Amino acid sequence: MRPQVYSIPERLEASFRYKGRGVVIGFVDSGFYPHPDLMRPKRRVKAYADATREKPVASDFFSPQVWSWHGTMTACCAAGNGWVSGGRYRGLASEADVVLIKAGVEDGMILGKNVAHAIRFPLRFPHLNIRILNVSLGTSPGDPDIEDVEAAVEEVVAAGITVFAAAGNTAGQPPSGPGAAKGAITVGGGNDNNTPGFEDDTLWPSSHGSPKP
């Protein structure tokens, strides 16, 4: 019987041998919540940081917030172990450790200065050994710090960290920073129609193209 919803490894026909063990992934997003798929049976959240403040506020992390769903979803899709679903719905890197870096303010605004600060987090704390940095947000095209966001990506990549950035969801419009940075691996979206394999996949209307001549 066909399951109602396929897991991510099933959708991608991924090998179950590779689960990200020994790898630390950093996530930059609007906010996060300590989902059981990251915390049980052992805590895999190595650190939580808030790039918008000098010190994180505990209630921002430990209490569900409206602006935390996207970052939590992204981290669990990538590295969740499926604890809540008995192991069925897990991410590809279900044994990786994660570092969660909040870059959004409470009203949902994403400011370039905070994104750049968040991207440079692995450089300030090299002992965390972040090898992959996922940035699932973008700055507004007119943000005054957009060039610094792209510069932060280049600095992190030069240090040996692979940066994945969201392309954005506006078809016909080039990605903004950090997706516009040359050193980033910029990723668009797709619709797999809830089937394994790629035969019936369709493109999501993601941003694409170069913002500069």
Side-chain angles (χ1 to χ4, degrees):
M1 179 181 296
R2 176 179 173 179
Q4 184 177 6
V5 179
Y6 283 96
S7 67
I8 291 174
E10 290 171 324
R11 289 169 182 266
L12 299 178
E13 297 184 338
S15 171
F16 284 85
R17 292 176 54 198
Y18 306 106
K19 300 180 180 180
R21 183 181 303 173
V23 177
V24 181
I25 306 173
F27 292 90
V28 176
D29 215 303
S30 53
F32 300 92
Y33 178 76
H35 194 280
D37 283 13
L38 301 173
M39 300 291 287
R40 300 180 68 180
K42 68 173 184 177
R43 173 174 175 161
R44 291 183 294 119
V45 178
K46 293 190 68 174
Y48 166 74
D50 188 339
T52 71
R53 291 189 172 100
E54 287 292 328
K55 293 183 179 180
V57 175
S59 60
D60 281 357
F61 183 56
F62 291 107
S63 301
Q65 306 290 342
V66 173
W67 32 263
S68 295
W69 74 269
H70 191 275
T72 304
M73 175 271 298
T74 301
C76 288
C77 284
N81 62 7
W83 175 266
V84 173
S85 61
R88 171 151 181 75
Y89 294 107
R90 66 172 183 82
L92 293 177
S94 58
E95 295 184 9
D97 290 328
V98 302
V99 174
L100 308 177
I101 310 164
K102 175 179 173 288
V105 294
E106 284 67 16
D107 60 2
M109 287 286 292
I110 303 297
L111 303 178
K113 64 179 182 179
N114 295 331
V115 176
H117 190 49
I119 291 172
R120 291 188 173 101
F121 184 86
L123 304 179
R124 298 193 299 275
F125 300 93
H127 66 280
L128 291 173
N129 196 31
I130 296 172
R131 293 170 54 186
I132 297 170
L133 189 67
N134 183 86
V135 191
S136 294
L137 47 73
T139 55
S140 300
D143 192 292
D145 296 293
I146 193 167
E147 290 188 3
D148 192 43
V149 171
E150 295 184 30
V153 171
E154 304 305 331
E155 292 168 21
V156 170
V157 170
I161 299 166
T162 303
V163 176
F164 292 88
N169 298 312
T170 308
Q173 176 176 303
S176 62
K182 292 181 179 180
I185 299 175
T186 304
V187 182
N191 179 7
D192 66 2
N193 293 295
N194 190 37
T195 60
F198 306 97
E199 292 78 8
D200 60 349
D201 288 7
T202 57
L203 292 175
W204 182 261
S206 301
S207 303
H208 64 276
S210 174
K212 299 176 181 177

